[in-house]
Amino acid sequence: MFKSIVQMVIMAMFICSCAVNPDQPVSPIQQPEPSLFDYSYKGCEILLQRATAQLDRNRDILVASFVNADNLNESSTFGRAIADYCITYFVSQGYKLSEIKLRDNLLVKQDAGEFMLSRNLKNILLNHNVHAVVVGTYSIGSDNVYITAKIVNPVDGIIISAVDYKIKMTRDVRKMLGIAG
């Protein structure tokens, strides 16, 4: 019996020694930093949730490369990658996407900093049964890249959905943007 009591006391001491000391902070579990994929997929998910018009899964959607908001003639590896991640997300959700590479002469730029679709591009989109275009810009900050993505009706230019989000400026993001350091 004495042996059983000693074992119980030792067991109780062991259990008590495992208790958390309230004076010592508990270290949080390290969560991995979200990737560009995670941010892009979440942005696209929100775009679809906020859509003011139903997107037809049987008609094509076009995704254009995202461009630098300070220079709409400029994209980058970053802008093309974000567009590709959007394509991946939309396809994974059952949407039909067109692989049409846009040439510079198909876009008309406004002074206000937004793209307008030229008449030539509108004809191409109609011939390919495109009913929505995903466009986006990115603005480069010191610690983050700020992204605006929109789904636009190619016929009338009406914005169907829009989302803003930011991505932390990492070494990979700097490299994709062509920024040294």
Side-chain angles (χ1 to χ4, degrees):
M1 177 156 168
F2 180 76
K3 186 177 179 181
S4 295
I5 293 174
V6 170
Q7 286 176 339
M8 287 175 42
V9 169
I10 291 173
M11 184 68 110
M13 288 173 46
F14 176 76
I15 290 172
C16 289
S17 70
C18 294
V20 175
N21 181 350
D23 296 331
Q24 289 183 336
V26 177
S27 60
I29 297 173
Q30 284 287 15
Q31 295 294 326
E33 182 71 27
S35 70
L36 290 178
F37 304 115
D38 298 327
Y39 287 117
S40 299
Y41 296 165
K42 186 64 176 174
C44 290
E45 179 184 344
I46 293 169
L47 271 177
L48 290 174
Q49 290 171 354
R50 292 182 178 174
T52 58
Q54 184 68 30
L55 296 178
D56 186 345
R57 292 179 194 267
N58 297 314
R59 294 183 61 203
D60 289 345
I61 297 173
L62 175 70
V63 179
S65 292
F66 284 38
V67 295
N68 185 334
D70 292 330
N71 181 357
L72 297 178
N73 293 313
E74 176 186 301
S75 189
S76 62
T77 301
F78 179 83
R80 290 183 293 277
I82 297 298
D84 284 341
Y85 303 153
C86 289
I87 290 169
T88 300
Y89 183 82
F90 278 88
V91 168
S92 75
Q93 299 302 304
Y95 290 92
K96 185 177 171 190
L97 276 86
S98 286
E99 184 70 28
I100 301 173
K101 298 295 183 189
L102 299 180
R103 296 189 315 262
D104 289 340
N105 63 348
L106 296 179
L107 295 174
V108 176
K109 288 125 185 121
Q110 283 183 304
D111 291 335
E114 291 293 328
F115 282 120
M116 274 190 343
L117 301 177
S118 70
R119 181 170 291 157
N120 196 13
L121 179 57
K122 286 182 183 178
N123 290 335
I124 291 170
L125 296 177
L126 290 174
N127 289 337
H128 283 85
N129 202 25
V130 173
H131 76 294
V133 179
V134 178
V135 296
T137 59
Y138 57 85
S139 301
I140 302 169
S142 57
D143 296 326
N144 298 291
V145 179
Y146 300 90
I147 298 167
T148 297
K150 300 173 187 171
I151 300 175
V152 180
N153 181 325
V155 176
D156 56 18
I158 291 178
I159 297 170
I160 297 169
S161 182
V163 65
D164 299 309
Y165 59 99
K166 68 180 180 178
I167 294 177
K168 188 166 180 59
M169 184 69 78
T170 63
R171 279 190 354 202
D172 282 346
V173 170
R174 285 185 189 287
K175 179 146 177 77
M176 293 172 81
L177 289 166
I179 300 172

